[in-house]
Amino acid sequence: MQSPVPSPAAPAILVGVDLGVPHFDNDLEELGLLAQTAGMTPVARVTCKRRAPDAALFIGSGKADEIKALAEETGAAEVLFDQSLSPAQQRNLERHLGMPVNDRTLLILEIFAQRARSHEGKLQVELARLQYVSTRLVRRWSHLERQTGGAGVRGGPGEKQIELDRRMIGDAIKRTRDRLAKVKKQRQTQRRQRSRQGAFAVSLVGYTNAGKSSLFNALVKARAYAADQLFATLDTTTRQLYLGPAVEGAGEGAQSWTGRSVSLSDTVGFIRDLPHGLIDAFQATLQEAADADLLLHVVDASNPGHPEQINEVQRVLHEIGAQDVPQVLVFNKIDALPESQRPRAPQDLFELEGRPVPRLFLSAHTGEGLSGLRGLLAARAQEAARADPAEAEAEIPQSHEAPA
Ligand SMILES: Nc1nc2c(ncn2[C@@H]2O[C@H](COP(=O)(O)OP(=O)(O)OP(=O)(O)O)[C@@H](O)[C@H]2O)c(=O)[nH]1
Ligand SMILES: [Mg+2]
């Protein structure tokens, strides 16, 4: 077989197996975006239905042959599965297809690795990747050592080294954990300082690509990286957000709060099937959300899959212990909605896990609805200050970013 020459934008075949789960993405749109974000080019998409995954190949061998033929036809150099593969399935598929096979989990890890900027972020991704490879065979290890590039596996040092590698991975996990623990301590100190200063803390949370960074930028006039990519943001950025002067229709509390500020944090987005290791590793970053006084749960109202995305975000919030932090739903991107779907009122109540939660419609791009959000934030901050007068006197630092 002639081995395909990998081009810079590695061509990849996307495969999705419908196992009857409600959120099955028939167009593999999100997987395609993940692949592109990781630097690959989807050249074909294959979906099939199965009652249960095949133990050896995940898909049937007929389907595997079909994918192999398609790869030859399209020059694909890699196959990406939307579902998680067991280490054995992955290995068997790679043998059967004669090319690297990866799954969604690895793709997400790869993107996180490419995106991490802060020291803490890098350590967190490193830990998650080490945990992932520790459950895989030795071939993953060579993948781990590559600094850049696609998610492919390009050879490995050989299976005899398995034991040695396991030990090395174990040591590396321990080292990374220790270093992370130190960084976490520093972050805790910073957080304590901020909370002593009593600033009302608001965190933006939401599905990846919902527009959190765009909203953050629109609100605080910052220039956080916002892009049509998944996981554009990995590190938490915090700024103070001045609320005022004139706040329209925000009630009395908001008026007296005018001219003051709250602290606003932009943070990493969530995604369906966020690899467990990543949630663990990003605990410190996600903690920011759990410790906030208020969560702005940003939703891409223009994405037809937004109801499932909301559920997914709720699942992660439970997992990080942030389920009881008060929430406001922010339905963003209303400028992208067709006229017939545009909201009738700028605010209403939305039933979230059986509880009514305030919902605001806005557009970070056009600025529509932003003043309503400012008003709501002012009112909430004012309420909190009334409950704890120290908060009203609070001054918060000019800006705070995750340790570099
Ligand atoms: N039409 C429209 N697009 C928007 C709006 N807000 C954000 N976007 C676009 O949505 C994409 C994602 O925006 P980001 O702000 O990076 O989203 P995020 O939630 O921070 O994403 P991650 O950091 O990847 O989790 C970008 O292409 C933005 O230009 C909006 O109000 N209207
Ligand atoms: Mg972002």
Side-chain angles (χ1 to χ4, degrees), residues 212-213 225 232-233 266-267:
K212 298 175 295 298
S213 299
Y225 182 56
T233 310
D266 178 27
T267 187

Side-chain angles (χ1 to χ4, degrees), residues 180-196:
L180 201 51
K182 266 191 212 134
V183 183
K184 263 186 197 171
K185 229 181 233 157
Q186 289 170 357
R187 185 188 265 284
Q188 259 163 16
T189 315
Q190 288 169 343
R191 203 180 305 123
R192 255 200 308 275
Q193 277 169 358
R194 257 183 301 156
S195 73
R196 218 177 289 135

